Coordinates of all heavy atoms in Angstrom, one line a residue:
G92 N 117.7 89.1 118.4 CA 117.2 88.3 117.3 C 117.8 88.6 115.9 O 117.5 87.9 114.9
H93 N 118.6 89.7 115.8 CA 119.1 90.1 114.5 C 120.0 89.1 113.9 O 120.0 88.8 112.7 CB 119.9 91.4 114.7 CG 120.2 92.1 113.3 ND1 119.4 93.1 112.8 CD2 121.2 91.9 112.4 CE1 119.9 93.4 111.6 NE2 121.0 92.7 111.4
F94 N 120.8 88.4 114.7 CA 121.7 87.3 114.2 C 121.2 85.9 114.6 O 122.0 85.0 114.6 CB 123.1 87.6 114.8 CG 123.7 88.9 114.4 CD1 123.7 89.9 115.2 CD2 124.2 89.0 113.1 CE1 124.3 91.1 114.8 CE2 124.8 90.2 112.7 CZ 124.8 91.3 113.5
R95 N 119.9 85.8 114.7 CA 119.3 84.5 115.0 C 119.1 83.7 113.6 O 118.5 84.3 112.7 CB 118.0 84.6 115.7 CG 117.4 83.2 116.1 CD 116.0 83.4 116.7 NE 116.1 84.3 117.9 CZ 115.1 84.8 118.5 NH1 113.9 84.7 118.0 NH2 115.3 85.5 119.6
I96 N 119.5 82.5 113.5 CA 119.3 81.7 112.3 C 118.1 80.9 112.5 O 118.0 80.0 113.4 CB 120.6 80.8 112.1 CG1 121.8 81.7 111.9 CG2 120.3 80.0 110.8 CD1 121.7 82.7 110.8
R97 N 117.1 81.1 111.6 CA 115.8 80.4 111.7 C 115.7 79.3 110.6 O 114.7 78.6 110.6 CB 114.7 81.4 111.6 CG 114.7 82.4 112.8 CD 113.7 83.5 112.5 NE 113.6 84.4 113.6 CZ 114.3 85.5 113.9 NH1 115.3 85.7 113.0 NH2 114.2 86.2 114.9
H98 N 116.7 79.2 109.8 CA 116.8 78.2 108.8 C 115.8 78.3 107.6 O 115.5 77.3 106.9 CB 116.7 76.8 109.4 CG 117.7 76.5 110.4 ND1 119.0 76.3 110.1 CD2 117.6 76.6 111.8 CE1 119.7 76.1 111.3 NE2 118.9 76.3 112.3
Y99 N 115.2 79.5 107.4 CA 114.2 79.7 106.3 C 115.0 80.1 105.1 O 114.4 80.1 103.9 CB 113.2 80.7 106.7 CG 112.4 80.4 107.9 CD1 112.3 81.2 109.0 CD2 111.6 79.2 107.9 CE1 111.5 80.9 110.1 CE2 110.9 78.9 109.0 CZ 110.8 79.7 110.1 OH 110.0 79.4 111.2
F100 N 116.2 80.6 105.2 CA 116.9 81.3 104.0 C 118.1 80.6 103.5 O 118.9 80.0 104.2 CB 117.3 82.7 104.5 CG 116.1 83.6 104.9 CD1 115.8 83.7 106.3 CD2 115.3 84.2 104.0 CE1 114.6 84.4 106.6 CE2 114.2 84.9 104.3 CZ 113.9 85.1 105.7
D101 N 118.2 80.7 102.2 CA 119.3 80.1 101.4 C 120.5 81.1 101.4 O 121.6 80.7 101.3 CB 118.9 79.8 100.0 CG 117.7 78.8 99.9 OD1 117.8 77.7 100.5 OD2 116.6 79.3 99.4
L102 N 120.2 82.4 101.4 CA 121.2 83.4 101.1 C 120.9 84.6 102.0 O 119.7 85.1 102.1 CB 121.2 83.8 99.7 CG 122.1 84.9 99.2 CD1 123.6 84.6 99.4 CD2 121.9 85.2 97.7
Y103 N 121.9 85.1 102.7 CA 121.8 86.4 103.4 C 122.6 87.4 102.7 O 123.8 87.3 102.5 CB 122.4 86.2 104.9 CG 121.5 85.3 105.7 CD1 121.7 83.9 105.7 CD2 120.6 85.9 106.6 CE1 120.9 83.1 106.5 CE2 119.8 85.0 107.4 CZ 120.0 83.7 107.3 OH 119.2 82.8 108.1
L104 N 122.0 88.6 102.4 CA 122.7 89.7 101.7 C 122.8 90.8 102.8 O 121.8 91.4 103.2 CB 121.9 90.2 100.5 CG 121.7 89.2 99.4 CD1 120.9 89.8 98.2 CD2 123.0 88.6 98.9
T105 N 124.1 91.0 103.2 CA 124.3 91.9 104.4 C 124.6 93.3 104.0 O 125.0 93.6 102.8 CB 125.5 91.3 105.2 OG1 126.6 91.0 104.3 CG2 125.1 89.9 105.8
Q106 N 124.5 94.2 105.0 CA 124.6 95.6 104.8 C 126.1 96.1 104.8 O 126.4 97.1 104.1 CB 123.8 96.3 105.9 CG 122.4 95.9 106.0 CD 122.2 94.9 107.2 OE1 123.0 93.9 107.2 NE2 121.3 95.1 108.1
G107 N 126.9 95.5 105.6 CA 128.3 96.0 105.8 C 129.1 95.0 106.6 O 128.6 93.9 107.0
P108 N 130.4 95.2 106.8 CA 131.3 94.2 107.4 C 130.9 93.8 108.8 O 131.1 92.6 109.2 CB 132.6 95.0 107.5 CG 132.5 96.0 106.4 CD 131.1 96.4 106.3
Y109 N 130.3 94.7 109.6 CA 129.8 94.3 110.9 C 128.9 93.1 110.9 O 128.9 92.2 111.6 CB 129.2 95.5 111.6 CG 128.5 95.2 112.9 CD1 129.3 95.2 114.1 CD2 127.1 95.0 113.0 CE1 128.6 94.9 115.3 CE2 126.5 94.8 114.2 CZ 127.3 94.7 115.4 OH 126.7 94.5 116.6
F110 N 127.9 93.2 109.9 CA 126.9 92.1 109.8 C 127.5 90.9 109.0 O 127.2 89.8 109.4 CB 125.7 92.7 109.1 CG 125.1 93.9 109.7 CD1 125.4 95.2 109.2 CD2 124.2 93.8 110.8 CE1 124.9 96.3 109.9 CE2 123.7 94.9 111.4 CZ 124.0 96.2 110.9
T111 N 128.3 91.2 108.0 CA 128.8 90.1 107.2 C 129.7 89.2 108.0 O 129.5 87.9 107.9 CB 129.7 90.7 106.1 OG1 128.9 91.7 105.3 CG2 130.2 89.7 105.1
N112 N 130.6 89.7 108.9 CA 131.4 88.9 109.6 C 130.7 88.0 110.6 O 131.0 86.8 110.8 CB 132.4 89.8 110.4 CG 133.4 90.5 109.5 OD1 133.6 90.1 108.3 ND2 133.9 91.6 109.9
K113 N 129.7 88.5 111.2 CA 128.9 87.7 112.2 C 128.1 86.6 111.5 O 128.0 85.5 112.0 CB 127.9 88.6 112.9 CG 128.6 89.5 114.0 CD 127.6 90.4 114.7 CE 128.3 91.2 115.9 NZ 128.8 90.4 117.0
F114 N 127.5 86.9 110.3 CA 126.8 85.9 109.6 C 127.7 84.9 109.0 O 127.3 83.7 108.9 CB 125.9 86.5 108.5 CG 124.5 87.0 109.1 CD1 124.3 88.3 109.3 CD2 123.6 86.0 109.4 CE1 123.1 88.7 109.9 CE2 122.4 86.4 109.9 CZ 122.1 87.7 110.2
K115 N 128.9 85.3 108.6 CA 129.8 84.2 108.1 C 130.3 83.3 109.2 O 130.5 82.1 108.9 CB 131.0 84.9 107.4 CG 130.7 85.5 106.1 CD 131.9 85.9 105.3 CE 131.6 86.3 103.9 NZ 132.7 86.7 103.1
A116 N 130.4 83.8 110.4 CA 130.7 82.9 111.5 C 129.6 81.9 111.8 O 129.8 80.7 112.1 CB 131.0 83.7 112.8
L117 N 128.3 82.4 111.6 CA 127.2 81.5 111.8 C 127.1 80.5 110.6 O 126.7 79.4 110.8 CB 125.9 82.4 111.8 CG 125.7 83.2 113.1 CD1 124.6 84.2 112.9 CD2 125.4 82.3 114.3
K118 N 127.5 80.9 109.4 CA 127.5 80.0 108.3 C 128.5 78.8 108.6 O 128.1 77.7 108.2 CB 128.0 80.8 107.0 CG 128.3 79.9 105.9 CD 129.0 80.6 104.7 CE 129.5 79.7 103.7 NZ 130.3 80.4 102.7
Q119 N 129.6 79.1 109.2 CA 130.5 78.0 109.5 C 129.9 77.0 110.5 O 130.2 75.8 110.4 CB 131.8 78.6 110.1 CG 132.6 79.5 109.2 CD 133.1 78.7 107.9 OE1 133.5 77.5 108.0 NE2 132.9 79.3 106.8
K120 N 129.0 77.5 111.3 CA 128.4 76.6 112.3 C 127.3 75.8 111.6 O 127.2 74.6 111.9 CB 127.8 77.5 113.4 CG 127.0 76.7 114.4 CD 126.5 77.6 115.5 CE 125.6 76.8 116.5 NZ 125.0 77.7 117.5
H121 N 126.4 76.4 110.8 CA 125.2 75.7 110.3 C 125.4 75.1 108.9 O 124.8 74.1 108.6 CB 124.1 76.7 110.2 CG 123.7 77.3 111.6 ND1 123.0 76.5 112.5 CD2 123.9 78.5 112.1 CE1 122.7 77.3 113.5 NE2 123.3 78.4 113.4
Q122 N 126.3 75.7 108.1 CA 126.6 75.0 106.8 C 125.4 74.8 105.9 O 125.4 73.9 105.0 CB 127.3 73.7 107.0 CG 128.6 73.8 107.7 CD 129.7 74.4 106.9 OE1 129.8 74.2 105.7 NE2 130.6 75.2 107.5
N123 N 124.4 75.6 106.0 CA 123.2 75.5 105.1 C 122.8 76.8 104.5 O 121.6 76.9 104.1 CB 122.1 74.7 105.8 CG 121.6 75.6 107.0 OD1 122.1 76.6 107.3 ND2 120.4 75.1 107.5
F124 N 123.6 77.8 104.4 CA 123.3 79.0 103.7 C 124.6 79.7 103.2 O 125.6 79.4 103.7 CB 122.4 80.0 104.6 CG 123.0 80.3 105.9 CD1 124.0 81.3 106.0 CD2 122.7 79.6 107.0 CE1 124.5 81.7 107.2 CE2 123.3 80.0 108.3 CZ 124.2 81.0 108.4
E125 N 124.4 80.8 102.4 CA 125.5 81.5 101.9 C 125.3 83.0 102.4 O 124.2 83.4 102.7 CB 125.6 81.5 100.4 CG 126.8 82.2 99.8 CD 128.1 81.6 100.3 OE1 128.5 80.5 99.9 OE2 128.7 82.2 101.2
V126 N 126.4 83.7 102.5 CA 126.4 85.1 103.0 C 127.2 85.9 102.0 O 128.4 85.6 101.6 CB 127.1 85.2 104.4 CG1 127.1 86.7 104.8 CG2 126.4 84.4 105.4
I127 N 126.6 87.0 101.5 CA 127.3 87.9 100.5 C 126.9 89.3 100.9 O 125.8 89.7 101.1 CB 126.8 87.6 99.1 CG1 127.2 86.2 98.7 CG2 127.5 88.6 98.1 CD1 126.7 85.8 97.3
E128 N 127.9 90.2 100.9 CA 127.7 91.6 101.3 C 127.4 92.4 100.0 O 128.1 92.4 99.0 CB 129.0 92.1 101.9 CG 128.8 93.6 102.5 CD 130.0 94.0 103.2 OE1 130.4 93.4 104.2 OE2 130.7 95.0 102.7
T129 N 126.3 93.2 100.1 CA 125.8 94.0 99.0 C 125.5 95.4 99.3 O 125.4 96.3 98.5 CB 124.6 93.4 98.4 OG1 123.5 93.3 99.4 CG2 124.8 92.0 97.8
G130 N 125.3 95.7 100.6 CA 124.8 97.0 101.0 C 123.3 96.9 101.2 O 122.7 95.8 100.9
W131 N 122.6 97.9 101.7 CA 121.2 97.9 102.0 C 120.4 98.7 101.0 O 120.7 99.9 100.9 CB 121.0 98.4 103.4 CG 119.7 98.1 104.0 CD1 118.9 96.9 103.9 CD2 118.9 98.9 104.9 NE1 117.8 97.0 104.6 CE2 117.7 98.2 105.3 CE3 119.1 100.2 105.5 CZ2 116.8 98.8 106.1 CZ3 118.2 100.7 106.3 CH2 117.0 100.0 106.6
P132 N 119.4 98.2 100.3 CA 118.7 98.9 99.2 C 118.0 100.1 99.7 O 117.8 101.1 98.9 CB 117.8 97.9 98.6 CG 117.6 96.8 99.7 CD 118.9 96.8 100.4
K133 N 117.5 100.1 100.9 CA 116.7 101.3 101.4 C 117.5 102.6 101.3 O 116.9 103.7 101.1 CB 116.2 101.1 102.8 CG 115.2 102.2 103.3 CD 114.8 101.9 104.7 CE 113.8 103.1 105.2 NZ 113.3 102.9 106.5
L134 N 118.8 102.5 101.5 CA 119.6 103.7 101.5 C 120.0 104.2 100.1 O 120.6 105.2 99.9 CB 120.9 103.4 102.3 CG 120.7 103.0 103.7 CD1 122.0 102.9 104.5 CD2 119.8 104.1 104.4
D135 N 119.6 103.4 99.0 CA 119.9 103.8 97.7 C 119.2 105.2 97.4 O 119.6 106.0 96.6 CB 119.4 102.8 96.7 CG 120.3 101.6 96.6 OD1 121.3 101.6 97.3 OD2 119.9 100.6 95.9
V136 N 118.0 105.4 98.1 CA 117.2 106.5 97.8 C 117.9 107.8 98.3 O 117.7 108.9 97.8 CB 115.8 106.4 98.5 CG1 116.0 106.5 100.0 CG2 114.8 107.4 98.0
Y137 N 118.9 107.7 99.2 CA 119.6 108.8 99.7 C 120.4 109.4 98.5 O 120.5 110.6 98.3 CB 120.7 108.4 100.7 CG 120.1 108.1 102.1 CD1 118.7 108.2 102.3 CD2 120.9 107.8 103.2 CE1 118.2 107.9 103.6 CE2 120.4 107.5 104.4 CZ 119.0 107.6 104.6 OH 118.5 107.3 105.8
H138 N 121.0 108.5 97.7 CA 121.7 109.0 96.5 C 120.8 109.6 95.5 O 121.1 110.6 94.9 CB 122.5 107.8 96.0 CG 123.5 108.1 94.9 ND1 123.1 108.2 93.5 CD2 124.8 108.5 94.9 CE1 124.1 108.5 92.8 NE2 125.2 108.7 93.6
A139 N 119.6 109.0 95.3 CA 118.7 109.4 94.3 C 118.1 110.8 94.6 O 117.8 111.6 93.7 CB 117.6 108.4 94.1

Side-chain angles (χ1 to χ4, degrees):
H93 193 94
F94 296 101
R95 183 185 302 164
I96 300 301
R97 297 171 174 86
H98 302 285
Y99 300 124
F100 298 97
D101 305 297
L102 175 64
Y103 291 84
L104 297 182
T105 52
Q106 309 96 307
Y109 172 80
F110 305 96
T111 306
N112 295 337
K113 286 181 178 289
F114 274 104
K115 283 191 172 180
L117 291 167
K118 172 192 168 184
Q119 294 301 316
K120 176 182 176 181
H121 296 287
Q122 296 291 321
N123 64 351
F124 58 82
E125 186 57 78
V126 180
I127 300 174
E128 185 175 299
T129 57
W131 195 39
K133 184 179 179 181
L134 301 184
D135 287 357
V136 71
Y137 287 1
H138 188 272

